[in-house]
Every structure is written in structure tokens, then in C-alpha cells.
Amino acid sequence: MPEAVPNFCNSVKLKYVKLGYQYLVNNFLTFLIVPIMAALIIQVLKLGPEEIVSIWNSLHFDLLQILCSSFLIIFIATVYFMSKPRSIYLVDYSCYKAPVTCRVPFSTFMEHSRLILKDNPKSVEFQMRILERSGLGEETCLPPAIHYIPPTPTMETARNEAEVVIFSAIDDLMKKTGLKPKDIDILVVNCSLFSPTPSLSAMVVNKYKLRSNIKSYNLSGMGCSAGLISIDLARDLLQVLPNSCALVVSTEIITPNYYQGSERAMLLPNCLFRMGGAAILLSNKRKDSARAKYRLMHVVRTHKGADDKAFKCVFQQEDPQGKVGINLSKDLMVIAGEALKSNITTIGPLVLPASEQLLFLFTLIGRKIFNPKWKAYIPDFKQAFEHSCIHAGGRAVIDELQKNLQLSAEHVEASKMTLHKFGNTSPSSLWYEMSYIEAKGRMKKGDRIWQIAFGSGFKCNSAVWKCNRTIKTPTDGPWDDCIDRYPVFIPEIVKL
């Protein structure tokens, strides 16, 4: 019997074919220029010294031509360097670490829920089901006012939480960087749901006695993606203010926003949101380039607020009993997917290598011209980034992004472990994730980091950073006493 024709699809390692394709396309210019330069050098070497001298003597230059050419080169170089955007550096950052007295184990959370919602056992059962599948661990923290039965969310307790979280993060940042209050030129504070008068930014100015000419901004109502909006605002300001430093503070104050009603859609945030905050120091000073940890490469913001469903999918409102809370729509994941699609369509050309962009383009042309049923090509974002920091909004969000973007388990490890250890700390979660990667000793010089966050409105924002130097494993920070225990296995359901 004749031998069967071998199945080359199985025998050939297709992944190596793709690697070869990526190497060829991404280094196309090198492969093109090197042979041409080699041929030119060979031709020059074939000429004798006399021929080279005669060719040089045949060239005629007068003083006017030399001066005009020199001035033109100097003019073009000046225009180029003046129009080039300033480099923005992330000198360092600090994350707030809540004391153990604020921890809320599952048993404590459920006991409080049963006492607060004793007349509504179905709501208690609903919260238990959410907590079992949330991906949170036993060490997440809530502010002291929420530990009371019933909770006591007053303006005073909310301010106390804000002061503790924000001042602790800033103090730690100043200690690490040697930053003095007089060195701060720009201050941006973001907190979505707690916006007192005077503002939180004014509170920081008062505490640290900042300069009277400081550029101060307070952002509210922008949801979990407000941290990257603050980074974008600080970047724009640093582009027009030379030799300046910007302090960015990202937090969410839980005390006044703990829902005490029984509406299921409004009880969900109680199960996920926890205490947290971060302080970030940005600079455009040349002297900070050597000590800075990262350089900001891109910020891409997507806003879907023109669509009514997107606008109302995360909505602060009163329930029928007049109790205020955040209503999370059932359409949230679909809307987040659409926002993500728009965002990566914009950021893709900025970060993806040529090989991935060509594959995407060929697939798009094929679907338009030949067969609309062709499967859409999802670019391999693992080629663009070494690390990903996905907003730890919930287990479902992280899992969905991992599936849709075909990310590896290591790419989402920081997000899942941050959710487990700290819960959803809103805009500051990205910095806990960055800190996790550093604590694991994985951040090397030249590594690219993708931060992506979602927020009410509805918004999807991305930031891309490049590691400026290999980061030594820190001896302090939010993970200092537990990093050896991570990563941990997180079951699909934790039975309570």
C-alpha cells in the first residue's frame, strides 16, 4: 500500500513560520539597507587611491554653497527639536496600604450584610453569590466608618478617609523621591464620588503648604478610568510648562458611597470596591531622566458617552427608598467591549509591530473584497507589550479581556492578584498592578507596559509606558509582606 502523504500542517511548526514572518517584516528596512551599503563599500574599495582623489577633486564647492547648506541644516534641526514633544518621565509612585484593622474577611462582610439587611434575606443571598465569584480574597479593606453597624457615612468620616489615604501615599512618595512641596508645579487629584468643598486638591495644597502659583486641578465623576485621564492632563500641562514636576493623586473614597439599600444592581459595588489610593510623580526635567522609572509613550482616550446605553450603564441614582448608590447595568460588559474595540483600534497603529499591522490589513481587505465571512484577525498585542495592567474592576472584566485579546496567564496575573489582595480600588488599581510586577522582579529596562482602564460615561482609556531602567525588587510598598505568597490559585467559586 503506498505511503500516505504526510500532513505538513501538523509536521511543520507553524509558530516558527510566524516568528520568521514577524522577524522578516519587522526588520525589513535592515534587510534592505545592509546589502545596499555593503555593495557601495565594496565598490569604493575596488577604486584605487588615485581614482578616489580625482573624484574628490572633480567636486566643486564655493563658500556661498557651503554656508547656505550649513544654515539650512541648522534651521531644519532647530525646527525639528523645537516641535518635538517633551519627554514625560514617571519618577516614582506610591500606593496606600491600609492597616490590618480595616480588613474585611468574607465572614465579617456577610455578617454585617445579614445585620444591615435583616429584612431582606434575598439581597443578602445575592451579595454572597457575588462575593463567592468575585475573585476577591480575605485581606481587602474598607474604611472604619463602614465597620460600624449600621455604617456611619458622615462628611467628617469621609474627609478622614480621604486625608489618611491621600496624605499617606504622598508622604511615602516624598520620602522615596526626596520631593519637597516647593518643587511641585502641577497638582491633579481625581476622586469620582466624593467631591467636597473645599476640594481634595485644595486639601493637599493646605496640608503641604504648596506654592500660591501652583496649577491645581480636581477631577470628579469620571469613574475608574480617571487615573489615566489625570495622567493625560498632567502630560498636556507638562508639554507647555518646561522644567516642571506634576503630582498626580488617584483614589476613590468609599465611606459616603456604601449603599445601604436592597436593590441588587446597586448592591454589586459593595462587594467589589475597597480602599486604595496612589500618588504619582511626573517630570519633564532632563535631570530626572536618569533616575525615573518609566517614560510615557502614549495615552489614548475613548469616550462612548454619545450613546444613551453607554452613558447610563454606570449611573449614580436613588433607589425607591431614596437611598443613593451606583447602578451597574446588565449591558456593562457589552458596552465595555465596544469601548475597548474603539480604543485598541486607535492604539494599535501606535504600538503594534509592522508584521501584525500587515496581517490585520490583509484580513480586512480580504473580508471587504473576497469573503465577508472570513474570521477577523485579532492582532497579537503580546508582540507590543511585555506587561499588561488591566483595571481590576472585577473577575469577569479581566477574564473577558484575556479571552478577547488572547493574553497569556502571566499578562493578567498582576490584575487578578491585585483584585484578590486589594479588591477594586478604582483608578489606583493600575498602580497596585504595576507595583506587583516590580515586586516580582520582572520589570526590565526597555519593557513596555500597557495600562487600560474603564470608567463611567462610558470611557476606555489606555496608557503606554516604557521602562527607563531595570527596577530592583523593592523592599517596601503594598506587596512587601505578601509577595512571596503570590500568585495564588483563585477558584471559580469560593463557598461561603
Side-chain angles (χ1 to χ4, degrees), residues 292-428:
K293 284 187 172 182
Y294 306 96
R295 183 160 64 94
L296 182 60
M297 307 301 292
H298 307 287
V299 178
V300 174
R301 293 167 56 182
T302 303
H303 205 309
K304 308 294 282 188
D307 179 75
D308 290 342
K309 282 189 175 180
F311 176 69
K312 292 186 176 180
C313 70
V314 181
F315 207 74
Q316 187 177 26
Q317 63 184 50
E318 293 177 332
D319 67 9
Q321 285 74 43
K323 295 179 179 178
V324 178
I326 305 297
N327 190 316
L328 300 183
S329 167
K330 293 179 180 179
D331 300 323
L332 179 59
M333 292 304 299
V334 176
I335 292 164
E338 288 298 317
L340 174 66
K341 186 177 177 182
S342 299
N343 191 269
I344 63 174
T345 302
T346 305
I347 202 172
L350 299 174
V351 298
L352 286 170
S355 58
E356 290 300 309
Q357 295 194 47
L358 279 175
L359 282 174
F360 180 78
L361 179 63
F362 292 154
T363 307
L364 184 64
I365 293 172
R367 293 182 72 195
K368 293 288 184 183
I369 298 176
F370 300 109
N371 188 352
K373 293 183 180 179
W374 277 8
K375 186 178 179 181
Y377 179 71
I378 300 174
D380 185 4
F381 277 89
K382 296 190 293 294
Q383 297 292 324
F385 308 107
E386 282 71 37
H387 309 286
S388 298
C389 296
I390 301 167
H391 165 56
R395 185 176 193 158
V397 176
I398 301 170
D399 287 345
E400 195 66 21
L401 260 70
Q402 180 182 7
K403 177 184 173 184
N404 290 340
L405 297 178
Q406 299 175 358
L407 300 176
S408 66
E410 186 171 322
H411 274 86
V412 297
E413 181 184 311
S415 302
K416 288 186 174 182
M417 297 307 109
T418 296
L419 181 66
H420 181 270
K421 169 66 177 172
F422 298 102
N424 180 353
T425 59
S426 203
S428 62

Side-chain angles (χ1 to χ4, degrees), residues 187 189 197-208 216-218:
L187 173 65
V189 179
T197 299
S199 66
L200 296 179
S201 59
M203 181 182 80
V204 174
V205 171
N206 176 258
K207 166 70 176 178
Y208 295 97
S216 174
Y217 300 87
N218 196 92

Side-chain angles (χ1 to χ4, degrees), residues 240-261:
V240 297
L241 297 172
N243 204 37
S244 300
C245 285
L247 175 62
V248 177
V249 180
S250 289
T251 188
E252 189 58 81
I253 303 306
I254 304 297
T255 297
N257 303 296
Y258 193 83
Y259 177 62
Q260 299 185 58

Side-chain angles (χ1 to χ4, degrees), residues 43-56:
Q43 288 298 321
V44 170
L45 292 175
K46 285 181 178 179
L47 298 173
E50 294 179 358
E51 292 176 313
I52 295 173
V53 170
S54 64
I55 292 171
W56 176 259

